[in-house]
Structures are given as C-alpha cells and as structure tokens.
Amino acid sequence: MLRQLAVSIATLIVLSHSPLARAEAWFEVEVYIFERQSQSTEQWPMAPIETKTNRAIDLISPVVGQAVISMGNESAPCTLVYDADANSHCAESTTTGTNADATTELTNGSAFAISGPSTANSNAVTSYRYPTVIPSEISSASQAYATLGAGPVLLASSQGQFASIINSLSRERGNRSLLHMTWQQPMMGKSGSVPIRLFAGKDYSASYHFDGRQIVQQAMASAMQGTNGTTGMMTETSAPLSPSPVWQLDGTLNIYLSHYLYIETALNLRKEGRKLMPVAADEASMNATNTAAAPAKVMTPYLMSIPLEQNRRVKSDEIHYLDHPEMGMVIQIRKMAQPNA
C-alpha cells in the first residue's frame, strides 16, 4: 500500500512539472477602438511614442493584406495562401508567372511591411501589400477556435459580443470606428507575454514620413527645377517607392496574468494638422535680412501623433473602457475553457 502511494505521489510530481500537463489559462479578448472629434487643447508629444512591434503577434495582416513570400535568391516572390489548418504556402497559380511579372506587381503596388520568416520556409520572408484604408471590422471568414499548445487565433464576427456597444457608440456624434476584433489566447506572466499588434484606418505613408513631416512628391520638386538644372525652394526628400505603412492607428496591446489580469497599451493615433516648421535653408537665405537672425518658421502640414499609453489592472468578464480625449477603447477579457489538443 505504501509502495503504491509513493509511486502515485512521484507520478503526480512528474506530471506537475510537465509543460504538456500544466494547465494553461485561456481567455477570449474582444477590443473596439474608435476615434472621437474633440476640442482638446492638450499639447501632444512631438514624436510618436515608442512601440516595439517587431516581436508582436500580427493577426490583422493575413486578413487585410496580400501576402507575398520572398525566397531570397532561390525564387521570385509568390502570393501566400492559407489552408484550413492556417499553414501557409505559395498559391499554385503564381508559379506559372515569370519572375519579371511578379516583381513588377510588387514594386508598383501599395505599401509593404516585412513580417519576418514565414511558416512555409525557414529562409522565406513574408511581406504584405496593404490597401490605403483597411476595414474597421477584422475577423476570420468562418468561426474559429484555439488549439492547445498553439498561439492566439482570430475569431469570426459572429463570435463577438460588442454589437450593441458598437451601435450605441457609433450613433454618438463625432465618433468613428477604427478597429473591432475578437481573438482567443493563452495568458502568460509578464515576462513571458507577447503583445498583439493593432493597426487600423488610413495609411498616410504616401503623404507623410513616420515622424510626421510632410513628403513633397518628386513631381512637385521637378516642377520647381530651374532651367540651369538647380532645384528651387522645394528641397524635401521625395517619397520612397515602397514606404512602410504609416497607419492612422498603430501600436500594441499586451495582456498578462499575474494573480490579476493586466493590460498595457502602447498606441499612436495619427491626425493631420499644422505646426510651425523651419523654412528650407535656401528659402530662408533668400528671405533673411540678418544672417544672425533665427531661422524663419512657417505653418506647415504635419501628421500629429496622439498617444494612448496605459497600464491597468482589470477583472475578467467585466467590460472596461479606456478614456482619452481623441479616442476610446472598449475591452473585455472573458474566461474560457482550455481548448482541446
């Protein structure tokens, strides 16, 4: 009897230290973010707050972007498709095209973002081509469910519970929906947590740099060319051929479990405005009356960056509202049963 008891205790100790046997805490997360028109006179930071999106999980790009795999020197880029198990591979139709055709399609498209190695090939790099405006509703095409041992999974619109909240907030004057999505994820401690990448709205990369400065198109600079080949007053660098997107809303949402649930937001909301900027050097020299005078400044179009940076302890199943003069976030973290293997 004692021998059997000792064996049972030893077995329980071994199982308790097994990663497969250790029960993961899984939650369902629903987020709704909207922009609001306000008359706030608050002074926002000059530069966007730092958001580390390189290690964040991106559930949005596979839904809104056209994915392209680049195999380095081995082959031309190809369109990425996903099977029923969310495994990615090159679409068969793209293998019949020529390398030149594929390259032309990429360079002449809209903005790209590199997301790192794809699941199809360890040497492959997946990039996405995005529309200029992405829809506010982000969801999977059909109902989805998490799998034990896997990461976060995006759910269908029918699996969300914010329909009445969204309808109510959308009716308020000045509110405009930016992002609504629902997903399931395992909850880790703070050190092991991985943030979720959130981005939405319009892509401003054709008109503004990431730091907010306006881009002067090459055509405008060419129009200022003099007959002697020298450039006129417009000296701003022209836009690159394939700039990285500058989204209206961009950043991360990190949720972790440490006895209680905590949410950390690091989001930037971009809004077009105007600010005093130094005049280009050649224009200033033409207009200056005193060489020792400070450089002249003029009101110039500028892409403002408004931060939503909070760290808050929350309770599961409760609906929480993060208030802000320029935007709002509604979030609910719902308990769910541990998914099947």
Side-chain angles (χ1 to χ4, degrees), residues 132-200:
T132 54
V133 180
I134 61 177
S136 60
E137 185 69 31
I138 304 296
S139 59
S140 63
S142 58
Q143 289 196 354
Y145 300 94
T147 304
L148 189 62
V153 58
L154 182 67
L155 305 186
S157 297
S158 59
Q159 294 174 274
Q161 301 179 15
F162 279 4
S164 59
I165 293 176
I166 295 174
N167 289 336
S168 177
L169 289 173
S170 298
R171 286 197 297 267
E172 293 185 14
R173 186 175 179 180
N175 289 351
R176 193 176 70 85
S177 297
L178 286 175
L179 179 65
H180 174 229
M181 57 188 295
T182 309
W183 67 90
Q184 294 175 346
Q185 71 169 88
M187 290 298 171
M188 308 294 181
K190 184 174 184 179
S191 60
S193 63
V194 180
I196 301 293
R197 171 83 184 277
L198 302 181
F199 60 93

Side-chain angles (χ1 to χ4, degrees), residues 112-136:
F112 280 80
I114 304 299
S115 64
S118 73
T119 57
N121 189 301
S122 59
N123 296 323
V125 175
T126 304
S127 57
Y128 290 92
R129 189 172 78 179
Y130 299 98
T132 54
V133 180
I134 61 177
S136 60

Side-chain angles (χ1 to χ4, degrees), residues 304-318:
M304 304 293 180
S305 183
I306 303 169
L308 176 58
E309 193 173 20
Q310 293 191 16
N311 186 340
R312 179 181 297 189
R313 192 182 82 180
V314 297
K315 292 184 179 180
S316 61
D317 298 321
E318 290 186 357

Side-chain angles (χ1 to χ4, degrees), residues 66 101 140 185 225 251 254 258:
Q66 179 184 354
D101 292 339
S140 63
Q185 71 169 88
Q225 287 276 351
N254 189 33
S258 179

Side-chain angles (χ1 to χ4, degrees), residues 30-51:
E30 187 166 4
V31 170
Y32 174 63
I33 304 176
F34 61 94
E35 178 188 15
R36 65 190 341 165
Q37 300 296 329
S38 72
Q39 303 300 322
S40 173
T41 58
E42 187 171 348
Q43 297 297 313
W44 307 112
M46 294 289 290
I49 59 170
E50 182 181 3
T51 55

